[in-house]
Amino acid sequence: MAPFDFPLEVIRTNRKRSVAIQILGDTVRVRAPKTLSERRIHSIIAKRTAWIKRKLREQAERPALKPKEYVSGEAFQYLGRNYRLKVVKTPKASTKPSIKMQQGYLVATIPETTANPQRRIKALLRDWYQVRAEQRLKEKTERLAKVVGVTPRSITVRDYKSRWGSCSVKGDISYNWQIILAPHRIIDYVVIHELCHILEHNHSPQYWKQVEKYVPDWRDCRAWLKDNPIIF
């Protein structure tokens, strides 16, 4: 394959038709079917070169994301809204560590003797988010499944590293719990995305037509997910 003027990684997969292009830092990752010729892959990349270079520039210009410190005053998202963290340290060693939403704050209560309080608060927040993700995503999936006209076999929440959701050929749907940090419309798009896979278990034009019936602005939602990395 002729070289491009940007780092390129081509991964061959068992997908049947579509080619997926991801921008990961300063590298372009292309996932393509094993049956697709290098010439065809080259042609697809060449056609998307302007878009690829624009995304690489945006990545380079984007300020580095600051890791969370889990201290009072730090902002955390939930359903697209920011909530300030308020850490309350009590003198009672018997105090049960907890996270509660109170008056617009995420209040973390821990004993003042807690070793490595930041790590403990992170674990508390993670558990808090996961419980709400299970509740909200199940509610949304059951409601939107009626709209789409499908019935998932199961609905679960997992800790994915590089995907927002998954749907098996048998209709088992699972979500990345971190999607609960995003706005409602983005979550709804992810839910519809997975529900439509029960109808079309691929990313063919027919599949995207199904998605567009329920989320006309799905392209904007997909772009939002790519352009707004969720940091926890």
Side-chain angles (χ1 to χ4, degrees):
M1 183 179 294
F4 291 88
D5 59 352
F6 44 77
L8 181 65
E9 178 186 7
V10 177
I11 299 176
R12 295 288 190 165
T13 70
N14 290 323
R15 61 172 64 220
K16 294 181 179 180
R17 297 180 182 177
S18 60
V19 172
I21 300 177
Q22 282 182 296
I23 310 299
L24 302 171
D26 61 352
T27 300
V28 180
R29 176 178 292 173
V30 179
R31 295 183 182 276
K34 293 177 180 178
T35 56
L36 203 63
S37 69
E38 286 196 359
R39 182 176 180 179
R40 179 59 180 151
I41 296 172
H42 180 281
S43 175
I44 292 170
I45 297 170
K47 288 179 180 178
R48 300 295 302 279
T49 293
W51 176 85
I52 289 170
K53 289 186 174 181
R54 175 166 59 84
K55 288 297 181 181
L56 287 171
R57 285 195 302 271
E58 291 174 0
Q59 289 274 16
E61 293 168 0
R62 186 175 295 161
L65 295 170
K66 184 181 178 182
K68 294 291 188 182
E69 297 178 5
Y70 306 96
V71 295
S72 285
E74 198 167 29
F76 287 84
Q77 288 187 319
Y78 174 59
L79 296 174
R81 295 183 60 185
N82 280 329
Y83 294 88
R84 294 290 175 181
L85 178 65
K86 183 177 181 180
V87 179
V88 177
K89 296 183 179 181
T90 70
K92 296 181 180 179
S94 60
T95 298
K96 184 178 180 179
S98 66
I99 294 284
K100 294 181 180 179
M101 187 176 285
Q102 295 178 342
Q103 299 178 336
Y105 286 87
L106 283 171
V107 181
T109 303
I110 58 173
E112 60 185 13
T113 55
T114 301
N116 200 332
Q118 282 75 28
R119 180 183 295 176
R120 186 71 180 105
I121 292 167
K122 180 178 181 179
L124 287 170
L125 278 168
R126 183 191 181 97
D127 290 344
W128 186 88
Y129 276 123
Q130 286 184 320
V131 168
R132 278 144 193 83
E134 289 174 358
Q135 295 171 344
R136 290 280 190 163
L137 289 166
K138 184 176 181 181
E139 290 170 1
K140 284 180 176 289
T141 303
E142 290 176 346
R143 174 173 57 82
L144 292 172
K146 294 176 182 178
V147 175
V148 177
V150 296
T151 304
R153 192 173 74 163
S154 66
I155 305 165
T156 57
V157 172
R158 297 184 181 181
D159 190 13
Y160 287 121
K161 299 297 182 184
S162 59
R163 63 170 62 180
W164 293 114
S166 176
C167 178
S168 74
V169 293
K170 294 182 179 180
D172 299 298
I173 292 179
S174 57
Y175 299 104
N176 184 334
W177 65 266
Q178 293 189 63
I179 195 61
I180 202 65
L181 280 68
H184 278 290
R185 73 180 186 92
I186 303 300
I187 300 173
D188 288 351
Y189 158 69
V190 171
V191 172
I192 289 291
H193 184 111
E194 301 309 331
L195 288 171
C196 285
H197 275 312
I198 297 177
L199 299 172
E200 298 280 342
H201 201 71
N202 50 52
H203 286 102
S204 65
Q206 183 60 36
Y207 164 79
W208 289 112
K209 286 179 182 178
Q210 292 287 349
V211 173
E212 195 161 9
K213 285 182 185 178
Y214 312 104
V215 188
D217 64 341
W218 65 266
R219 292 178 181 82
D220 293 336
C221 294
R222 186 173 64 173
W224 189 97
L225 286 169
K226 290 181 179 179
D227 295 339
N228 292 272
I230 293 175
I231 301 299
F232 174 75

